[in-house]
């Protein structure tokens, strides 16, 4: 019922920028906490950032603070991830996720999310 589709991934040089988009359909986008996760080959899925339903609260993992910025446009049912000053360590498949549970559990916990996109590859060359 819920569908998330990521776009905007690609290959960039270190220090460059990308903006990822996640298009949402089904249920009510504005009621969902939205998150971005990433996974590199051979590594566990890692929390990157999340944004609350109203956009007033954001939570970033330490490694991207000051470089990445999440935003959402509820009228367009879309969440964005602006990535600046990219590093080779940022290389991964990036996944958009949504949760509707209203859980007070940490937004960094993948098991609390109800829907996931297919992922978009981000590759940062050195």
């Amino acid at each position: 019922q819920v569908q998330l589709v990521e776009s905007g991934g690609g290959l960039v040089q270190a220090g460059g920028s990308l903006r990822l988009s996640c298009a949402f359909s089904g249920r009510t986008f504005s009621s969902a906490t939205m998150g971005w996760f990433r996974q590199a080959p051979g590594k566990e899925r890692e929390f990157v950032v999340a944004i609350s339903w109203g956009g007033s609260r954001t939570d970033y993992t330490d490694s991207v603070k000051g470089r990445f910025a999440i935003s959402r446009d509820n009228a367009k049912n879309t969440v964005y991830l602006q990535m600046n000053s990219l590093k080779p360590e940022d290389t991964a498949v990036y996944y958009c996720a949504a949760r509707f549970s209203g859980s007070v559990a940490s937004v960094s916990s993948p098991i609390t999310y109800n829907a996931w996109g297919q992922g978009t590859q981000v590759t940062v060359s050195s």
Side-chain angles (χ1 to χ4, degrees), residues 10 12-18 38 62-68 83-92 94 122-126:
V12 297
Q13 295 180 353
S17 298
L18 283 174
R38 64 188 182 186
D62 287 344
S63 63
V64 306
K65 288 180 179 177
R67 300 189 298 119
F68 291 10
M83 304 185 295
N84 300 322
S85 301
L86 283 162
K87 305 175 180 179
E89 307 92 88
D90 297 317
T91 296
Y94 283 70
V122 172
T123 303
V124 184
S125 61
S126 60

Side-chain angles (χ1 to χ4, degrees), residues 1-5 22-27 77 115-118:
Q1 192 67 46
V2 175
Q3 185 175 16
L4 304 174
V5 180
C22 174
F24 176 102
S25 63
R27 298 190 65 178
N77 290 166
W116 294 82
Q118 295 296 309

Side-chain angles (χ1 to χ4, degrees), residues 95-106:
Y95 297 91
C96 180
R99 74 178 193 177
F100 304 94
S101 65
S103 175
V104 296
S106 174

Side-chain angles (χ1 to χ4, degrees), residues 44-125:
E44 295 182 346
R45 188 164 297 187
E46 175 190 26
F47 171 76
V48 180
V49 62
I51 187 168
S52 63
W53 63 268
S56 61
R57 177 181 174 180
T58 57
D59 294 272
Y60 295 85
T61 193
D62 287 344
S63 63
V64 306
K65 288 180 179 177
R67 300 189 298 119
F68 291 10
I70 191 171
S71 61
R72 66 189 296 164
D73 187 338
N74 289 348
K76 297 182 178 179
N77 290 166
T78 303
V79 63
Y80 305 95
L81 181 62
Q82 179 67 46
M83 304 185 295
N84 300 322
S85 301
L86 283 162
K87 305 175 180 179
E89 307 92 88
D90 297 317
T91 296
V93 176
Y94 283 70
Y95 297 91
C96 180
R99 74 178 193 177
F100 304 94
S101 65
S103 175
V104 296
S106 174
V107 294
S108 67
S109 177
I111 63 173
T112 66
Y113 287 77
N114 307 105
W116 294 82
Q118 295 296 309
T120 185
Q121 177 71 48
V122 172
T123 303
V124 184
S125 61

